Amino acid sequence: GAVVSQHPSRVICKSGTSVKIECRSLDFQATTMFWYRQFPKKSLMLMATSNEGSKATYEQGVEKDKFLINHASLTLSTLTVTSAHPEDSSFYICSARDAQRDLRDTQYFGPGTRLTVL
Amino acid sequence: GESVGLHLPTLSVQEGDNSIINCAYSNSASDYFIWYKQESGKGPQFIIDIRSNMDKRQGQRVTVLLNKTVKHLSLQIAATQPGDSAVYFCARGSGGYQKVTFGIGTKLQVIP
């Protein structure tokens, strides 16, 4: 159990276009989902925390108008990279926190989405 | 500021030997310290965590040690296998797992 999926796994787009990445919790409800980005051979950096039905909380230095996050249901959060540029190329990873109290409090990570902006 | 870092960026270990991956942290306001394994092109996989009020926790072939005096965390992997080859991240969790801050990562290479 506790599987998180992401779609797409890889995406290549032209500079100036927008890209949407989906994060789904497949077998549990997630009131909170997190979005990270990871550059090659670097660590994961938290971008934002999204709570179902409310606005996302962005980390310092992350542009909320650039990285739009929607968490419309307990099993789905989306990250839209608007007007993507080559410097946005990265590995984007989501995680979800299980809402059920009787399960272990932890974050379950998705497999990541490789974004390449040409 | 808060940070979680690692001593060694790369660790090469002979198959069957034990591996020890170290991590130092500078901020002790954490509920959990966590170890994740990340294989190439994949998301992090939870290995084991330890509450900040504990010193040691054991799992299957893994042991995490926490020394709060010197702010040091280690992951010990017994009888290292080729499948253990990956990048290992230490991380801290605050507010339970509400916020997880990752360290730099250590690449573990298992030599057959």
Side-chain angles (χ1 to χ4, degrees):
Chain A
V3 177
V4 176
S5 70
Q6 283 183 240
H7 178 79
S9 58
R10 289 178 176 270
V11 57
I12 300 172
C13 69
K14 293 182 179 180
S15 186
T17 61
S18 295
V19 175
K20 179 184 284 188
I21 302 170
E22 294 185 348
C23 176
R24 293 180 184 273
S25 57
L26 298 185
D27 50 2
F28 67 99
Q29 293 183 329
T31 53
T32 308
M33 287 184 168
F34 307 85
W35 287 96
Y36 298 81
R37 67 185 298 182
Q38 184 179 32
F39 291 107
K41 298 184 179 181
K42 297 293 184 183
S43 187
L44 282 77
M45 299 299 295
L46 179 65
M47 299 174 65
T49 301
S50 74
N51 293 296
E52 185 264 338
S54 63
K55 291 183 178 180
T57 302
Y58 289 82
E59 295 298 302
Q60 190 174 7
V62 178
E63 301 174 58
K64 62 180 181 181
D65 296 328
K66 172 79 171 176
F67 299 100
L68 301 179
I69 292 172
N70 183 283
H71 191 167
S73 78
L74 285 172
T75 59
L76 173 64
S77 176
T78 61
L79 168 69
T80 300
V81 183
T82 62
S83 187
H85 292 285
E87 58 265 30
D88 298 322
S89 298
S90 189
F91 194 47
Y92 292 87
I93 305 170
C94 73
S95 69
R97 191 177 178 205
D98 201 306
Q100 295 186 26
R101 296 182 184 276
D102 59 343
L103 291 181
R104 184 174 185 78
D105 184 13
T106 188
Q107 287 189 24
Y108 299 96
F109 285 84
T113 296
R114 174 74 61 192
L115 170 63
T116 302
V117 184
L118 302 176
Chain B
E2 56 186 64
S3 66
V4 185
L6 292 167
H7 292 306
L8 297 173
T10 304
L11 177 66
S12 295
V13 175
Q14 201 74 36
E15 181 179 356
D17 287 352
N18 297 335
S19 302
I20 300 177
I21 302 172
N22 296 303
C23 182
Y25 62 94
S26 61
N27 187 318
S28 57
S30 305
D31 299 318
Y32 292 96
F33 290 92
I34 314 148
W35 283 100
Y36 291 96
K37 172 186 179 182
Q38 186 180 30
E39 297 176 341
S40 181
K42 297 183 179 180
Q45 176 187 354
F46 173 89
I47 302 174
I48 191 169
D49 65 7
I50 185 169
R51 286 186 181 272
S52 57
N53 61 356
M54 297 173 63
D55 299 320
K56 180 180 180 179
R57 186 158 187 241
Q58 288 184 296
Q60 187 176 14
R61 277 202 311 122
V62 295
T63 301
V64 56
L65 298 177
L66 175 62
N67 185 329
K68 293 178 286 294
T69 302
V70 296
K71 293 187 170 66
H72 184 267
L73 182 74
S74 69
L75 175 70
Q76 300 177 7
I77 304 173
T80 312
Q81 303 169 359
D84 294 327
S85 294
V87 175
Y88 289 80
F89 291 96
C90 63
R92 56 177 282 255
S94 55
Y97 272 77
Q98 182 59 27
K99 183 167 184 176
V100 174
T101 304
F102 281 77
I104 299 171
T106 290
K107 183 176 182 179
L108 176 64
Q109 294 178 323
V110 181
I111 303 167

